Amino acid sequence: MNHRVTRLSVGVIGTGNIGTAHARSLAREISGAEVSWVFDADSARASALADELGAHVAPSAEQLIASSDAVVIASPDAMHAEQAILCLDAQRPTLCEKPLAPTVGEAQRVVDAELDLGRRLLSLGFMRRFDPGYVDLKAAIPSVGTPLIVHNVHRNTFAPYGLTSAGTLTNSAIHELDINRWLLDDEYASVQVIVGRPGPDTPEGEFDPMLVILTTERGTLVEIEAFVNAQYGYEVRCEVVASGGTLDMGDGSFITRRADRAVGHDVPELWLGRFGEAYRRELQAWVDATHRGKTSGATAWDGLVATITANAAVRSITEGPQAIDVPARPALYA
Ligand SMILES: NC(=O)c1ccc[n+]([C@@H]2O[C@H](COP(=O)([O-])OP(=O)(O)OC[C@H]3O[C@@H](n4cnc5c(N)ncnc54)[C@H](O)[C@@H]3O)[C@@H](O)[C@H]2O)c1
């Protein structure tokens, strides 16, 4: 990126839930960037956002990429790899929403394209790495000794995108697959998924909730409750049990209300209510890093490792415990 560019001209591909949230945040809250172009397969949706933000509607993803300094990919999971490779071919710094891809083959193609380029241009939207709760949790781990078990809860009010069991793992629980590896500075060795009685809204033949149990190379146990139809609200929690104590991140609520002979706090309906600050910090870090010619947060490699782990978890539903087989980390991602 040319250091003389003071405001990054950003193009946003996909103007649904998160693309709209990112575009509004870039336009109104983030310094050093503006939203110049948007593209969506639904052109009316793109036009509405472009009108709101004073941006232009691109006729195609290719046109948007050619016209922008940097790109945010917020299209559905299945489009990420193809569009990320278009961005890499055009040498545009890119923030790609998670997952890098639902399948290992597609995720590997993105990593290969970046390796061919010989420099890192892709940042991956695992925004929990910017969440104040997870950042504090990671910093505090050395104060309680050796991590032994991490308990994770990930509940959605209702299944986003009508997720299947496989989609729950490759789209939703993939957040935990990334954040636990980051928290522990460790790699996974094995994964096992345990399914139980389905809830009333679970489609025939699918499983929800599921328990995902991983071991790391250094022997820490990671347990994840993945529950996409929890009904009561959106909630994410994480507790580290270590050799000298425990750390509980809580659920991100900052105010507890006591009134009318009851004590409690609100539970958000959607992820934006819990992770708004993480998305803002993620975007500002990406814009700042792009101005310096760098990437920020998770890399394409982290995306590939998460997708390899998620797909091993999917196989585990029917085939039992799986070893996690990750290729050697290329020097580009050292
Ligand atoms: N980091 C997070 O916490 C987080 C949160 C929500 C969504 N996401 C990710 O963001 C992506 C989008 O999720 P969403 O909730 O906004 O979905 P959404 O369905 O609300 O929006 C997706 C948009 O992409 C458009 N689209 C479809 N095909 C396209 C194409 N080929 N090119 C461009 N646009 C296309 C759709 O018309 C729609 O407007 C998903 O991959 C999801 O996993 C991440």
Side-chain angles (χ1 to χ4, degrees):
M1 177 86 299
N2 185 334
H3 289 255
R4 285 170 300 178
V5 175
T6 52
R7 272 156 75 86
L8 203 62
S9 162
V10 178
V12 177
I13 300 178
T15 56
N17 295 314
I18 194 86
T20 295
H22 282 336
R24 286 178 177 155
S25 182
L26 282 164
R28 295 171 185 155
E29 301 175 312
I30 304 302
S31 63
E34 61 192 8
V35 177
S36 305
W37 293 91
V38 295
F39 169 69
D40 195 290
D42 177 341
S43 58
R45 193 175 278 178
S47 292
L49 186 64
D51 289 349
E52 179 187 323
L53 301 181
H56 305 288
V57 177
S60 64
E62 287 85 346
Q63 173 73 53
L64 176 143
I65 294 164
S67 308
S68 306
D69 294 334
V71 178
V72 172
I73 297 175
S75 53
D77 298 6
M79 305 308 304
H80 293 182
E82 180 186 321
Q83 292 171 342
I85 289 170
L86 287 175
C87 292
L88 291 173
D89 286 347
Q91 304 197 22
R92 292 298 187 274
T94 300
L95 176 63
C96 178
E97 261 309 335
K98 46 57 58 176
L100 183 57
T103 68
V104 175
E106 290 168 292
Q108 183 69 60
R109 275 198 289 284
V110 181
V111 166
D112 289 345
E114 207 170 40
L115 287 171
D116 286 348
L117 194 62
R119 63 189 175 111
R120 277 163 35 182
L121 280 180
L122 195 133
S123 304
L124 196 66
F126 281 130
M127 82 299 174
R128 290 190 191 182
R129 293 177 179 222
F130 296 92
D131 176 65
Y134 278 109
V135 169
D136 286 356
L137 184 62
K138 182 175 169 76
I141 289 176
S143 72
V144 288
T146 305
L148 304 175
I149 306 179
V150 189
H151 298 291
N152 299 267
V153 166
H154 187 162
R155 299 181 190 139
N156 289 90
T157 312
F158 48 82
Y161 330 111
L163 285 185
T164 59
S165 312
T168 298
L169 297 166
T170 61
N171 176 286
S172 180
I174 201 162
H175 275 298
E176 274 75 19
L177 299 180
D178 179 69
I179 205 68
N180 282 273
R181 180 175 163 263
W182 175 84
L183 276 176
L184 297 169
D185 281 322
D186 203 351
E187 298 292 342
Y188 297 121
S190 71
V191 64
Q192 177 175 9
V193 173
I194 299 174
V195 300
R197 181 166 60 182
D201 293 313
T202 308
E204 183 73 27
E206 305 295 340
F207 302 106
D208 184 56
M210 293 184 278
L211 274 184
V212 184
I213 299 172
L214 301 112
T215 58
T216 70
E217 287 180 351
R218 289 205 283 268
T220 305
L221 290 172
V222 173
E223 176 233 9
I224 305 164
E225 174 196 314
F227 188 13
V228 293
N229 270 304
Q231 306 293 327
Y232 74 91
Y234 178 88
E235 193 167 14
V236 164
R237 285 195 259 127
C238 185
E239 182 190 17
V240 176
V241 179
S243 55
T246 71
L247 299 166
D248 191 348
M249 184 182 70
D251 62 4
S253 302
F254 300 109
I255 295 173
T256 301
R257 186 182 56 238
R258 289 178 173 78
D260 304 322
R261 293 175 186 77
V263 53
H265 59 77
D266 293 340
V267 178
E269 182 183 338
L270 290 174
W271 30 268
L272 200 53
R274 166 64 182 84
F275 285 112
E277 182 58 23
Y279 295 119
R280 273 189 292 281
R281 291 183 185 205
E282 170 190 59
L283 286 171
Q284 190 65 67
W286 175 66
V287 168
D288 292 347
T290 301
H291 279 294
R292 295 194 312 273
K294 304 281 186 198
T295 59
S296 60
T299 63
W301 177 255
D302 296 317
L304 172 62
V305 173
T307 294
I308 288 172
T309 310
N311 277 275
V314 173
R315 285 197 303 281
S316 160
I317 296 175
T318 49
E319 297 172 22
Q322 302 285 308
I324 311 262
D325 208 3
V326 174
R329 185 195 292 249
L332 186 66
Y333 302 105

